[in-house]
Amino acid sequence: MNFVTPTIDWAALTPIIIVLGAAAVGILIEAFVKSPATRRTVQLGLAVVALAAALGVVIAQWATLEGAGTVAMAGMLTVDRQALAWMSILLVFGILAMLLFASRDGGGAFTELGASTPGSLEEKLARRAGLAVTEVYPLALFAVGGMMLFTCVTDLVFLFVALEVFSLPLYIMVALSRRRRFLSHEAALKYFLLGAFSSAIFIFGVALVYGATTVTNLDMIGRGATMIADADPILLAGAVMVVVGLMFKIGAVPFHSWVPDAYQGAPTPLTAFMGAATKAAATAALVRVMFVAFAPLEWELSWLIWAVAIASMVLGTVVALVQTDIKRMLAYSAVAHAGFILVAFAGLEGEALTALPFYLLAYGLGTIGAFAVVSQVRERAEDGGVGAEAVRLGQWAGLGKRSPLLAGSMALFLLSFAGIPLTAGFIGKFEAFSAAVAGGAWVLVLIAVLASAVAAFFYVRLIVLMFFTDAPEGAEEVIAIEDSALTRTVIYVTAVAILILGILPAGVLDLFADASVLLVNAG
Amino acid sequence: MFPFLTVLVALPAIGAALLWALPSSALTRVREIALGITVVEAVLFVIMALQFDKGDAGAFQFSETYAWIPQIGASWALGVNGIGLLMVALSVILVPLAILAAWREDKIPARRRHYLALILLSQAFMVGIFAARDVFLFYVLFEAMLIPMYFLIGSFGGAQRRYAAVKFLLYSLVGGLIMLVAVVALYFAGPGGEQAFLTDNLTGTLDLTTAQERLMFVAFFLAFAIKAPMVPVHTWLPTVAEEARAGTTALLVAVLDKIGTFGMITLCLALFPEAAQWAAPAIIVLAVISVIYGALLAIGQKDMLRLVAFTSVSHFGIMVLGIFAFQATSVEGAALYMFNHGLSTGALFLLVGFLISRTGTADVDAYGGLQRIVPVFAGTFLVVGLSALSLPGLSPFVSEIMVLVGAYPVASVAVIISAVSVVLAALYILLTYKKVFTGGVPAETPATTRDLSLREKLVAWPLVGLMLLLGFVPGIAIDYLREPSADVVAHVTLEEADA
């Protein structure tokens, strides 16, 4: 076999290169800028500028895109409008998350020194010295870069590389919580082990698919699959494993067991980022894999989609009903939403290519906003300072009276999750359900609708707590409400975005409708 | 042409935003501002109504159509026919009265602001729903309406108000979400395109098998049956009525629940005429059960708010009976009843609210002999009560008779059974009156209980006046209803002839 150096269309890859390059520069800054305070400012500035620049380039590419898009790197990457749409969503999430990372309420969300033992003298000394893990900014940039890659890769092996590029930084960051560090370590370990497990399943699936079709390129697999008669069991097994690997990342039942622990243990700003961006990136990849490679297996794989979607919606909503921890409740709601996302895959209709980006945009903005609110409600530490987040549901009682804007925004995010009209979540659900109905999946939509009604119950329960329940005596002393400018900015920006997307979604829907074409490259 | 309907929707919505944005120094004026907004709304409505062409009441007038979300076929399309106009009128009349009734309810200005803003917001949604000519828009407002109502019930009222609010929300949401499936399906069954959800474009063009049409009809009907509380999905209403503030319940039952019957006429019958025919016998049976069951339960209630709620279940049964009898007179009567019931029940709830504001209880047994202490109150209550039992001379009588007489040729058994409810109504109204206003005065009732104040008279008497007016000259309202009702009936029965 002759090795041919591929010609690489660098221009098409500019946004990804900017983000990953900035991440590399960020690592160097860690080495050369000594003062933690300066480092934070420089890292934040670099990260936000890099993401904004990448977003600018993505927009420019969108405007100047010729034809359906560009095939780069010998058919391994496809920069089409669908990919650009997902990239811009991820970049927006990235920018919002960076602002949350930088917020310094309660001393910041991240630990001073990741390597110190919780509660040790070393930790105290690090705190006194004012240390800070500013590596989170380059790590998050790596994650964003990997996710962007994930949305445009058209080769299963390369898809695996991108998967690891964005997963590894997340594993590290989950462990870096400033408070409740043991919980954070446990979460990171679980996330890592299950993530490794899913990667193994994914790569095994890739191997089987390669065995059945002798190719790893998505388009070639799709062509191969049409030619293989009667659904070759090896191809089918491989396809199921590849899809299962991606479902792990989406957090669908029964591959969801990392979700509650990771969401609960991770530093809240990271939970916000992870909840929004990982789901979006994994959905984007699943779109490409399902629509390009496994479209001929639509009928054979539909049982998987149906079963996982129904299981996620039912289990997610039912288990969320009995949660008493807000982060875990939102985690199970994320599981339920994974089910709603999969509903749109029923029948693999073209509508899904518009519906899914919108759904994930709406869901991601809500998630970032909701977790940002969570990071603002704090317990008071014994020394009178601001302590860990108040995540027990009861601690939120009467929040509406103390801080109407905060509680109002939270209510808006919850209503959007519940899919109440005039919020972005409703339009997202409507689009997703339309796609499924177009695919003939009436029954699935009916189940989804009933699950939404049950889900509304626990979203509403939190609203009841915030607005209709009086705070217990002395709550003022026990619960502190932070007022960090950066976090508040994120909360209000996401809240306004959710309203605008809910009331006047036509513009964004138009953009995503343009994006509903997957460029199939000839390899 | 001036976009009357958009302005009527936008004005209270902007008003609500304005109230919330009001600086705390201006909070003392919040009631006047809210009332002012609703009065402006009423004036605008009157100007619009005067331009309404009665000769063409069956057609949508003041139509406005703007692209809203063309990708999914949704438009901002408003317009009213005669029925819609009367329904908008109902909300325009009752909202300022509800605000006036709540004048002294809240001591804390911030809470008062919250209450009034929510009332204004719900008015915006109500007007929008009655004027919507686009199924998607209708659905969006129908569901969004739940949010202000939920906060109105949950934030202001009795001890169990949170439970009531959640019950209300879940009942409505389940109905609404099942309707959502049908709304999505409508897009694919209809002509599609950028105006796919306009009712005009959907009427008569749906490409559905019989089974599909019936399923979609059931989905829509279920949502509406929950709204216009029909047995067996009515159980949320008594809970809400008991716990929510009387003014909230007045709006809820008098105006909002009419969305159920309104939807049955404008969507269920218009979009799925064949399925409506198919389902009519079962629905009429349910309606008759509602009529009798609601009336029987009303007799047994100790709590006056629950009592009025159950009478409404009974009355809504009559409306549904009228609608699904598919006779021009009965549908006309049902539509008229929707308006009259709004006046009558609205007044009844508000009066009970006044009573509660004096003594703090809605329990019938806690009262007695009040007519000697508060004669004007007693007299007003009696007149309003008599309207609820359909006494001739008061407007509900006309509509009830129209429904019963109109439906008799096709559903004589149902009509005969339903007519029993008139006797039952006499029982529950007169028994209540007897207990509360006649007999001996219980020791704990202070002899200084005030009679109706000027403000309270301003709330109650206009409604009484309207009922008297429409009781003696019902023609002024019927003129608006004759054509749209005849159109609906023709639409349904013509479809039957084709099939």
Side-chain angles (χ1 to χ4, degrees), chain A residues 178-249:
Chain A
R178 182 186 183 87
R179 303 176 192 279
R180 296 181 178 137
R181 289 185 60 198
F182 282 124
L183 201 64
S184 169
H185 291 175
E186 186 196 328
L189 191 63
K190 279 187 183 162
Y191 187 23
F192 175 69
L193 286 179
L194 288 170
F197 187 51
S198 76
S199 295
I201 292 179
F202 180 83
I203 200 72
F204 191 25
V206 174
L208 288 179
V209 170
Y210 180 75
T213 60
T214 71
V215 281
T216 55
N217 182 288
L218 295 184
D219 177 42
M220 302 293 273
I221 294 170
R223 292 168 194 223
T226 45
M227 281 183 277
I228 298 174
D230 288 339
D232 176 19
I234 295 190
L235 174 64
L236 201 57
V240 167
M241 291 174 95
V242 166
V243 172
V244 164
L246 293 172
M247 281 174 173
F248 253 105
K249 289 292 163 195

Side-chain angles (χ1 to χ4, degrees), chain B residues 50-118:
Chain B
L50 289 176
Q51 295 174 27
F52 188 87
D53 177 11
K54 260 198 269 188
D56 196 16
F60 284 110
Q61 301 186 24
F62 310 106
S63 287
E64 305 168 37
T65 312
Y66 309 102
W68 177 30
I69 317 176
Q71 293 86 354
I72 54 179
S75 331
W76 177 263
L78 300 177
V80 284
N81 61 13
I83 301 178
L85 188 79
L86 276 196
M87 289 296 107
V88 175
L90 196 57
S91 68
V92 167
I93 294 168
L94 274 165
V95 170
L97 297 183
I99 289 178
L100 207 54
W103 206 255
R104 298 202 188 285
E105 290 269 9
D106 291 300
K107 299 289 172 275
I108 308 164
R111 263 176 78 75
R112 187 182 288 157
R113 173 241 303 265
H114 200 47
Y115 183 76
L116 294 173
L118 286 171

Side-chain angles (χ1 to χ4, degrees), chain B residues 90 93-103 105 115 119 241 244-255 304-305 308 341-358 377 380-381 384 452 455-464 467:
Chain B
L90 196 57
I93 294 168
L94 274 165
V95 170
L97 297 183
I99 289 178
L100 207 54
W103 206 255
E105 290 269 9
Y115 183 76
I119 294 265
R245 192 175 270 187
T248 309
T249 319
L251 279 188
L252 181 71
V253 180
V255 190
M304 276 186 270
L305 293 166
V308 183
H341 177 261
L343 302 178
S344 157
T345 306
L348 211 49
F349 269 119
L350 291 172
L351 282 176
V352 175
F354 293 156
L355 208 54
I356 295 172
S357 72
R358 285 166 167 71
F377 198 128
T380 314
F381 191 93
V384 173
L452 281 186
R455 172 179 64 86
E456 289 164 336
K457 285 174 190 162
L458 276 177
V459 173
W461 289 1
L463 293 174
V464 174
M467 281 192 278

Side-chain angles (χ1 to χ4, degrees), chain A residues 13 42 102 107 147 154 188 204 236 288 310 321 323 344 387 452 513 522:
Chain A
L13 302 179
V42 175
M147 288 171 181
T154 44
F204 191 25
L236 201 57
R288 224 170 260 283
I310 292 172
L321 282 177
Q323 297 303 313
S452 307

Side-chain angles (χ1 to χ4, degrees), chain B residues 315-377:
Chain B
H315 293 153
F316 272 107
I318 304 249
M319 292 174 217
V320 175
L321 169 64
I323 294 168
F324 282 89
F326 306 130
Q327 300 298 307
T329 318
S330 72
V331 175
E332 219 173 293
L336 184 62
Y337 206 176
M338 282 157 64
F339 185 75
N340 289 333
H341 177 261
L343 302 178
S344 157
T345 306
L348 211 49
F349 269 119
L350 291 172
L351 282 176
V352 175
F354 293 156
L355 208 54
I356 295 172
S357 72
R358 285 166 167 71
T359 58
T361 176
D363 189 355
V364 176
D365 293 335
Y367 295 96
L370 277 181
Q371 66 181 358
R372 264 172 287 163
I373 308 175
V374 287
V376 182
F377 198 128

